[in-house]
Amino acid sequence: MSSKVKFINSYEKLGEEYFSRTKIEAFDRPELIDVNYELAAELDLELNDQEYLEYFSGNKNFDSSVISTVYAGHQFGSYVPQLGDGRAHLLGEIENIKGETFELQLKGSGKTPYSRFGDGKAVLRSSIREYLASEALHHIGIPTTRALCLIGSDENVMREGMEKAAMVTRVSPSFIRFGHFEFFTHSKKPEQTKILADYVIDKFYPQAKSFEDKYEKFFYEIVIRNAELVAKWQAFGFAHGVLNTDNMSILGLSIDYGPYGFLDNYHLGFIPNHSDYSGRYSFGHQPQIIHWNLYALANALTPVLPLDKSGEVLQLFGAHFLRSYIDLMREKIGLKQKKDTDKKLIQDLLHILAEQEIDYTIFFRKLCDYRINGDNSEIYKELKKVDIFKEWESHYQKRLLQEVWPDLNKNAEKAEEERSMQMKKVNPKYILRNYLAETAIKQATFVQDYSEIKKLRKILQHPFDEQPEYEPYASSPPEWARGIELSCSS
């Protein structure tokens, strides 16, 4: 490790009510599956592959205290008074040469006092999905935790059958969740809630301290971050799958990748988790669920912020979400100016996609090449009822002609090419479709071939680029993939 990078653990200073000292259960015969060298460079980590294998399989210890934190949470709407890091070990924080700090956490690294009836392990299947998803979202531009490396083993664990255990090293400025605050407030420990709030404000929301009520500003920033986060999920077609409050980052990050999924066909009722029988966490419900979770956080912050004040702040969520979402969708269809009619234009297009079961990502990528007076046959090929789309298209054309693209009247071709280039910066060609992840998982599980994991990480690090050599990875799913079911089991 670079001498310029040091290990600290500021969370540990809060006191032992906030965590337990824990021990990693190392793999006997670990295998280094992949390292995210791009992220390692951002962290200023200078390790060789053998060191990655030893440190992040628990066989070699950094000079730091290992802890697991306690929290609670609302799971599918019901409050669970104690959860915590049941299979995760916080190694501490590293500071890069820019002065930025990042927590490193092993997931699947053994039992902790919060494991309840679990074995503290994670399986290869879910570890691959988390490793790839966190990087896929990051490079699309969605706030998320990151993944540094993936370690495999020959250890067997029982889930939906016998599976191989694995560990993933997760990276984030912090892994503090809504549930941390819920635990202390609902356990009648208001002073601990205040200490935790002050810690988070000092470290991550220092701008709040200059306001008359720093806790109100703190909550406001959390509300805004989450409104913008879920707006990005909706705009890019991502469904988290299990939005319990213990899966909600206090920093407004996507965290805890279980039965998530990117949309194939546009469908508001898409449910990535086959055990979510009521559809509570369906794609279309995500904004309402985030709002509900923020209300749960507001209740947990009552030791420092009265509900009447947090309630006023929470009322801002809906408008900010909608504004952020419409802004993102406006960019996706190539509009720069803001007009009141844009919301209906966007809604009408999404209605067409839903009615005709159109692939969301492919359609928007092809729309990038739309030309007002050109050949749009490639876009029409994606549609089942072209005449309905052409009715929408007439409004779209009029709206495009209202734009202020350079030389629109003098050089329409140049203007349209510029619009196309801008649209391709916000409409990814490559996403982590479930069938791509499933293919990588099967190769890793059955023939110990990890090449597909490495290839996918490489592709997903450049989601907006054409990458013609990987063209098949931008295809809609094959028929066999429509039966893929995902669960929380890992």
Side-chain angles (χ1 to χ4, degrees), residues 54-68:
E54 292 174 347
Y55 279 122
F56 299 113
S57 65
N59 283 285
K60 190 172 182 179
N61 297 324
F62 288 110
D63 184 18
S64 65
S65 299
V66 177
I67 65 172
S68 299

Side-chain angles (χ1 to χ4, degrees), residues 355-401:
E355 282 273 300
Q356 300 191 32
E357 300 181 330
I358 305 302
D359 189 287
Y360 186 76
T361 300
I362 291 176
F363 175 84
F364 275 101
R365 185 68 179 192
K366 289 198 172 183
L367 190 67
C368 297
D369 293 320
Y370 182 83
R371 295 295 184 267
I372 293 174
N373 294 310
D375 179 9
N376 295 306
S377 57
E378 286 300 311
I379 298 172
Y380 299 153
K381 287 178 183 177
E382 298 300 315
L383 301 159
K384 297 176 181 176
K385 297 180 180 178
V386 177
D387 56 332
I388 295 175
F389 175 77
K390 285 190 173 182
E391 183 179 341
W392 177 86
E393 182 184 7
S394 65
H395 299 289
Y396 182 47
Q397 285 187 354
K398 291 175 184 177
R399 182 64 184 83
L400 288 176
L401 290 170

Side-chain angles (χ1 to χ4, degrees), residues 13 33 122 135 144-145 150 228 325 343 357 367 437 465:
K13 296 176 182 178
I33 293 176
E135 288 307 295
T144 178
T145 58
L150 181 61
E228 293 174 357
Y325 176 67
K343 179 181 176 182
E357 300 181 330
L367 190 67
D465 295 352

